[in-house]
Amino acid sequence: MDEFMEAAIQEAKQGRQEGGIPIGSVLVKDGKILGRGHNKRVQDADPVTHAEIDCLRNAGRVGSYRGTTLYSTLMPCYLCAGAVVQFGIKKVIVGESRTFPGAKEFMVSHGVEVIDLNLDDCEQMMSEFIETNPELWNEDIGN
C-alpha cells in the first residue's frame, strides 16, 4: 500500500479515536502531502465536515489544484465529489466502495479519474463502524 493511502487510513483511525466516523483523506501534489483530514461531523457538530472537506480546508489555498490527487479511505459522497469537481481535482484514489458506493459516476462524468483500490483494511474499518454505530452512520449519509 502506498504511503498516501496509509496516511489517509491513519487520519481515519484518528477520527475514530476522537469518537467520530473513520474516514480519512489526504491531498497530494508532486509526492508531497498538502493537506490531511478526517471526518469531524461528530466532533465539530458540523454536518459538512467530511474527511475530504476537512482535508481541503487544512490544505488551505493552494492556488491551482492541477496535478493534485485526492486520497480517501471511502468513495466520496456527492458533497465531497462536488468539491473535487469544483476545484478541478482530476484524480481520486479510494480505499474502498463496498460499504458505500458514493458518487463515482458523477466524478467520472466530469473527467475525474477514480481508482478504487478495494482494500480489505478500509472495508473492515467501515463495516465494523457501521455495524456498531448504524444510527450514526445513517445520519451521516442522510438516511
Side-chain angles (χ1 to χ4, degrees):
M1 182 180 322
D2 78 29
E3 65 184 292
F4 304 122
M5 184 54 70
E6 282 286 345
I9 290 170
Q10 288 307 311
E11 284 292 322
K13 289 178 179 178
Q14 179 180 340
R16 185 68 190 117
Q17 289 172 352
E18 295 170 359
I21 298 164
I23 304 168
S25 183
V26 296
L27 181 68
V28 176
K29 184 173 186 176
D30 298 327
K32 180 183 174 202
I33 294 176
L34 301 179
R36 54 180 77 225
H38 51 274
N39 187 301
K40 293 181 182 171
R41 185 184 63 78
V42 174
Q43 299 91 311
D44 293 352
D46 181 349
V48 297
T49 307
H50 290 197
E52 299 87 348
I53 301 302
D54 188 48
C55 174
L56 292 169
R57 283 180 177 154
N58 291 333
R61 295 181 64 207
V62 300
S64 172
Y65 290 86
R66 186 173 311 200
T68 61
T69 300
L70 184 71
Y71 286 75
S72 182
T73 57
L74 185 66
M75 185 65 71
C77 68
Y78 281 94
L79 170 71
C80 299
V84 165
V85 170
Q86 178 67 34
F87 293 134
I89 298 168
K90 294 298 182 187
K91 188 172 186 178
V92 175
I93 299 178
V94 178
E96 67 100 2
S97 63
R98 289 176 279 180
T99 60
F100 180 70
K104 179 180 180 178
E105 292 79 15
F106 173 79
M107 291 185 286
V108 169
S109 75
H110 285 84
V112 178
E113 178 186 6
V114 179
I115 300 170
D116 187 346
L117 300 176
N118 200 27
L119 297 173
D120 289 335
D121 290 349
C122 291
E123 190 275 331
Q124 182 179 357
M125 184 168 45
M126 283 309 301
S127 290
E128 288 173 1
F129 176 81
I130 292 167
E131 184 177 324
T132 58
N133 300 278
E135 291 170 4
L136 183 57
W137 171 246
N138 287 328
E139 176 186 322
D140 189 52
I141 62 170
N143 283 344

